[in-house]
Amino acid sequence: MGLALKKPAGVPGKSWPAIVIGMFVAFGGILFGYDTGTISGILAMSYWQNQFSTGYRDATGHLNVDAGQTSEVVSILSAGTFFGALSAAPAGDYLGRRMGLIASCCVFIFGVILQTASTALSMFVAGRFFAGYGVGLVSALIPLYQSETAPKWIRGVIVGSYQLAITIGLLLAAVVDNSTHDRNDTGSYRIPIAVQFAWALVLITGMLILPETPRYLIKRGKDDKAAKSLAKIRRLPLDHPAIIAELAEVRANHEYELAIGKSSYLDCFSNRGHMRKRLLTGCLLQGLQQLTGINFIFYYGTQYFKNSGITNAFIIQMITSAINVGSTFPGLYMIDKWGRRPLLFWGAVGMCISQLIVAIVGTTSTGQHADGTVYSTNLGGQRAGIAFVCIYIAFFASTWGPIAWVVTGEIFPLKHRAKALSMTTATNWLLNWAIAYSTPYLVNWGPGNANLQSKIFFIWFGCCFLCIAFVYFMIYETKGLTLEQVDELYEEVKVARKSVGWTPTVTFREIRASMSGQGGLGPKSGVVQEEKLGTGTDYRAENES
């Protein structure tokens, strides 16, 4: 269990290839994290402010971009990611999970080229959009690829490692920004941006070598290739009973889904297979993940700390990013040990309390001059506020950060999975965009702005409180289940809190055999109904998926 990576007894084959593959694919999270994290430091760089200003001067008289332009620069990436995430379903279904990721990286590289070459705001913004489009594609396709290749006993750790890679990307962005922000030339912003070429090229190189997912190949009717892919991942011969049984269960599940209708976006909103509930759960989970306020800290943190009287805001941003990385590890350990539901619940409680304290302390320990500049009235209060920001990040990184991607990657049936995942990821990016766009208007001083300053943390507190209720009523416990068994879970259990401790009672091969007997499905050669074994070795799919 957990990060010990110890395979349960009785599971045939090797698990390390699937683990290595899943962990490598998670590298794409660095694109996501670095690209979203680097802009916080760039916006605070004096050279960039002078270079890209259109004449606006801030409260200190320094050339800068105004609140509207700041919103545009930050939020345009999220707009691109929103459309990229929606495009992930057709890319993943037609190009494949593997080739879809390669194509995504190419789009991302084009955006990085535009940003690196830019010396004016319009070209910089265009580059941010295309980079965002590529990140949006990657952010939906990576959990999809990981979920479809990972063994069930460690699927949470593997998919959660995507969030770890995101946090590493954020930390690397903070480190690079801190090392270049004092430069008085274009290298101050071009170096942090150009570093992104390396992340994309590493992912492309790896995806050229890695196999396509067996579940995708089954969906495309390429059973022989699916068998070879699964045998390669599990390190077993093609005729091994475990390979035959796992493919038979995946195939039976897919045929069962096809027998009750073809897949379309409208079908994702139907109540057949409880898809409406599952899609609502995924979209709310991803949306609330953003509304906890995490990206306020990583998009605007450097500028916010600077405005709040912190003398070295770049160092504070590096510290918060390091805490984000370090706190993800205990979360990865606990995902498959304690389960999804308790971690999300207690994580929401911890975030809620932390955000309330930050809001109160931040509001009572700062003042504001008539010209809008913020000053500290209580240094101890400022330090306490930063401490609780760090505590909040620790709760987020160990719970809602990785688990949102894990849950959305495993709750959807195969035929709807790419489409549903694209919509849940798009919801994440839609709220990401809304926060990125509105934050300067909510926080900043000036005409047309709300000038909330630290009071914005009261909003994040309210959203975290909603997270607690959402987990209690909506989140099913899927720890230790195959992707096919999750379908059965939603069929049998109507109330989320009763999902804890549920065990499967039937396989999709049994369902398909039953439907065949009633004329619902034609017989499939080579697949027979298997009796569940009470003792001895059982090579059904749930041993490996």
Side-chain angles (χ1 to χ4, degrees):
M1 282 292 188
L3 289 178
L5 305 184
K6 184 178 180 181
K7 186 175 69 172
V11 176
K14 304 289 186 183
S15 293
W16 68 262
I19 295 169
V20 171
I21 288 170
M23 294 293 187
F24 174 81
V25 173
F27 185 86
I30 291 181
L31 271 72
F32 179 166
Y34 189 94
D35 200 36
T36 55
T38 193
I39 195 61
S40 176
I42 288 174
L43 286 172
M45 292 178 182
S46 294
Y47 186 88
W48 187 90
Q49 292 170 353
N50 286 325
Q51 178 68 43
F52 289 89
S53 175
T54 55
Y56 169 80
R57 292 184 182 273
D58 58 26
T60 65
H62 186 267
L63 281 172
N64 206 338
V65 291
D66 60 30
Q69 291 167 330
T70 301
S71 281
E72 182 183 25
V73 169
V74 176
S75 66
I76 196 66
L77 179 118
S78 302
T81 54
F82 172 76
F83 292 108
L86 288 178
S87 303
D93 280 342
Y94 293 104
L95 294 178
R97 290 28 169 166
R98 175 174 158 271
M99 290 305 299
L101 279 168
I102 293 172
S104 304
C105 290
C106 294
V107 175
F108 176 78
I109 286 172
F110 177 67
V112 172
I113 290 171
L114 291 180
Q115 289 179 80
T116 306
S118 65
T119 54
L121 206 57
S122 56
M123 188 171 175
F124 190 84
V125 168
R128 292 272 296 167
F129 176 82
F130 283 106
Y133 193 88
V135 169
L137 286 164
V138 166
S139 65
L141 290 171
I142 285 177
L144 182 62
Y145 185 97
Q146 290 175 313
S147 295
E148 292 187 349
T149 55
K152 70 167 187 179
W153 60 273
I154 200 172
R155 188 175 63 240
V157 173
I158 289 176
V159 181
S161 65
Y162 176 53
Q163 176 66 21
L164 175 63
I166 294 172
T167 66
I168 292 172
L170 288 165
L171 175 59
L172 290 172
V175 170
V176 176
D177 281 349
N178 184 61
S179 65
T180 65
H181 77 277
D182 286 330
R183 290 177 64 112
N184 194 32
D185 56 27
T186 58
S188 60
Y189 69 90
R190 280 178 168 162
I191 292 171
I193 293 169
V195 165
Q196 296 173 102
F197 285 117
W199 317 140
L201 291 174
V202 168
L203 187 59
I204 288 173
T205 302
M207 295 313 300
L208 289 171
I209 300 168
L210 297 181
E212 183 56 87
T213 74
R215 284 177 171 86
Y216 171 76
L217 294 169
I218 287 286
K219 181 176 181 177
R220 303 300 289 179
K222 300 176 180 179
D223 290 20
D224 291 342
K225 289 185 178 180
K228 290 177 182 176
S229 176
L230 185 61
K232 183 177 181 180
I233 293 170
R234 302 287 188 255
R235 288 299 191 269
L236 290 169
L238 283 170
D239 59 354
H240 193 280
I243 297 295
I244 295 170
E246 183 169 353
L247 287 174
E249 178 69 357
V250 174
R251 187 187 301 112
N253 173 249
H254 181 53
E255 290 173 352
Y256 170 76
E257 291 171 359
L258 291 178
I260 58 177
K262 292 184 177 181
S263 173
S264 69
Y265 276 99
L266 282 177
D267 290 332
C268 293
F269 295 92
S270 74
N271 210 31
R272 180 175 288 172
H274 301 278
M275 266 306 298
R276 189 181 303 144
K277 178 196 284 187
R278 292 154 91 164
L279 184 63
L280 181 63
T281 299
C283 289
L284 285 175
L285 180 59
Q286 289 283 17
L288 286 169
Q289 188 208 48
Q290 289 299 306
L291 289 172
T292 61
I294 189 67
N295 277 324
F296 167 76
I297 294 168
F298 290 113
Y299 278 152
Y300 296 105
T302 307
Q303 193 67 39
Y304 173 77
F305 291 134
K306 196 174 176 181
N307 292 343
S308 298
I310 305 299
T311 54
N312 199 331
F314 282 90
I315 295 296
I316 298 296
Q317 191 73 350
M318 285 176 61
I319 292 170
T320 57
S321 296
I323 292 169
N324 196 25
V325 174
S327 300
T328 304
F329 286 101
L332 294 181
Y333 173 77
M334 293 184 290
I335 285 175
D336 287 314
K337 195 173 185 67
W338 290 1
R340 286 63 162 150
R341 188 176 159 87
L343 282 179
L344 286 172
F345 182 85
W346 292 110
V349 171
M351 290 191 299
C352 187
I353 295 170
S354 300
Q355 293 285 35
L356 178 61
I357 293 173
V358 172
I360 294 171
V361 170
T363 303
T364 57
S365 64
T366 57
Q368 193 169 34
H369 294 298
D371 63 359
T373 55
V374 178
Y375 61 92
S376 174
T377 60
N378 186 330
L379 183 59
Q382 286 287 78
R383 289 172 176 169
I386 292 172
F388 276 96
V389 165
C390 294
I391 292 170
Y392 156 76
I393 291 171
F395 273 110
F396 176 88
S398 58
T399 58
W400 279 72
I403 298 176
W405 299 104
V406 173
V407 171
T408 53
E410 63 191 12
I411 62 173
F412 301 115
L414 178 59
K415 74 171 182 176
H416 297 305
R417 192 169 296 141
K419 294 180 178 67
L421 253 177
S422 75
M423 285 188 280
T424 60
T425 307
T427 303
N428 181 295
W429 287 114
L430 180 64
L431 270 297
N432 188 302
W433 169 83
I435 291 166
Y437 183 81
S438 63
T439 292
Y441 297 106
L442 291 172
V443 175
N444 290 358
W445 171 87
N449 298 332
N451 193 27
L452 291 179
Q453 301 298 332
S454 293
K455 297 183 186 72
I456 196 169
F457 286 95
F458 284 113
I459 296 176
W460 311 140
F461 155 73
C463 292
C464 289
F465 189 81
L466 289 176
C467 290
I468 298 171
F470 165 74
V471 174
Y472 184 80
F473 290 108
M474 296 289 289
I475 293 296
Y476 280 66
E477 183 54 70
T478 52
K479 180 189 75 169
L481 301 178
T482 68
L483 299 181
E484 289 68 41
Q485 288 168 348
V486 172
D487 292 342
E488 188 188 345
L489 168 67
Y490 272 91
E491 288 292 338
E492 292 189 7
V493 181
K494 307 304 179 187
V495 181
R497 69 177 183 275
K498 295 182 179 179
S499 63
V500 179
W502 176 88
T503 55
T505 58
V506 68
T507 69
F508 275 95
R509 280 168 288 168
E510 291 168 345
I511 294 173
R512 191 172 63 79
S514 173
M515 293 179 68
S516 296
Q518 299 169 20
L521 278 171
K524 184 79 176 177
S525 62
V527 180
V528 294
Q529 182 175 346
E530 293 188 20
E531 181 182 354
K532 289 200 171 188
L533 303 179
T535 59
T537 305
D538 184 352
Y539 288 119
R540 290 182 304 157
E542 56 264 35
N543 277 336
E544 264 302 295
S545 294

